[in-house]
């Protein structure tokens, strides 16, 4: 799996873009990168996870859950994790596996990045001044990855 992760809103909202084929080895690196970035942030640090529609997953649910587990707990400064996918199956799998792995975690699925940003602004009053249009434009420039 290839991925990019960085702050969309400095020190507050991480954006993760995943694409390609999901493999177990990539999750360890992804978790290390996300923990490092959350350490640099200001709590709570929310994560918006965007999954390319062409992403391929492990077909065995038990193996998939083991892959997604990563650390036993979320980072203590983690805020909401918002999964973005237009695919209902992706949202269902994400919801099922995330809730199975991390009990009582703040997790939500939406269809678009705009919905994710609106959701976070609605839940976190410190993001009330966020310019969603500017954030969307920033993401479009940042995304500049050829997804194959």
């Amino acid at each position: 799996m290839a991925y990019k992760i960085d702050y969309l809103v400095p020190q507050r909202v991480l954006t993760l873009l995943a694409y390609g084929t999901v493999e177990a080895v990539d999750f360890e690196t992804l978790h290390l990168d996300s923990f490092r970035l959350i350490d640099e942030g200001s709590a709570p640090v929310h994560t918006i996870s965007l999954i390319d529609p062409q992403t391929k997953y492990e077909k065995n649910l038990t193996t998939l859950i083991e892959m997604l587990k990563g650390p036993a707990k979320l980072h203590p400064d983690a805020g909401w994790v918002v999964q973005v996918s237009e695919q209902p199956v992706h949202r269902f799998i994400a919801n099922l596996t995330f809730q199975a792995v991390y009990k009582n975690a703040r997790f939500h699925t939406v269809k678009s990045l705009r919905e994710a940003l609106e959701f976070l602004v609605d839940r976190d009053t410190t993001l009330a001044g966020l310019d969603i249009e500017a954030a969307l434009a920033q993401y479009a420039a940042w995304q500049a990855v050829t997804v194959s």
Side-chain angles (χ1 to χ4, degrees):
M1 166 182 78
Y3 69 89
K4 285 179 72 172
I5 185 169
D6 206 348
Y7 277 102
L8 181 61
V9 178
Q11 298 184 313
R12 294 304 318 285
V13 179
L14 284 172
T15 305
L16 163 67
L17 172 63
Y19 53 97
T21 301
V22 174
E23 298 191 22
V25 67
D26 298 316
F27 276 91
E28 183 176 338
T29 305
L30 173 59
H31 287 293
L32 291 172
D33 287 346
S34 63
F35 269 52
R36 177 185 51 79
L37 286 165
I38 293 172
D39 282 340
E40 297 170 5
S42 177
V45 176
H46 308 295
T47 302
I48 298 175
S49 176
L50 297 107
I51 307 296
D52 176 67
Q54 302 305 314
T55 299
K56 295 175 182 64
Y57 292 95
E58 169 64 46
K59 291 179 179 30
N60 180 300
L61 185 58
T62 303
T63 304
L64 182 60
I65 289 172
E66 287 301 314
M67 287 170 48
L68 294 176
K69 275 187 180 177
K73 295 182 180 180
L74 292 175
H75 192 288
D77 291 340
W80 281 93
V81 176
V82 182
Q83 174 75 50
V84 177
S85 177
E86 293 179 8
Q87 304 294 322
V89 171
H90 285 185
R91 291 193 307 272
F92 173 76
I93 290 170
N95 207 353
L96 179 69
T97 55
F98 200 88
Q99 295 304 325
V101 172
Y102 302 110
K103 304 293 185 218
N104 302 315
R106 293 176 287 180
F107 182 78
H108 187 67
T109 59
V110 295
K111 295 179 185 176
S112 71
L113 179 57
R114 178 182 298 280
E115 285 182 61
L117 292 167
E118 290 170 350
F119 175 83
L120 290 175
V121 166
D122 187 52
R123 298 305 185 283
D124 185 340
T125 58
T126 67
L127 297 175
L130 178 64
D131 182 342
I132 291 176
E133 295 303 321
L136 291 170
Q138 180 181 340
Y139 174 77
W142 174 81
Q143 181 188 14
V145 170
T146 304
V147 178
S148 54

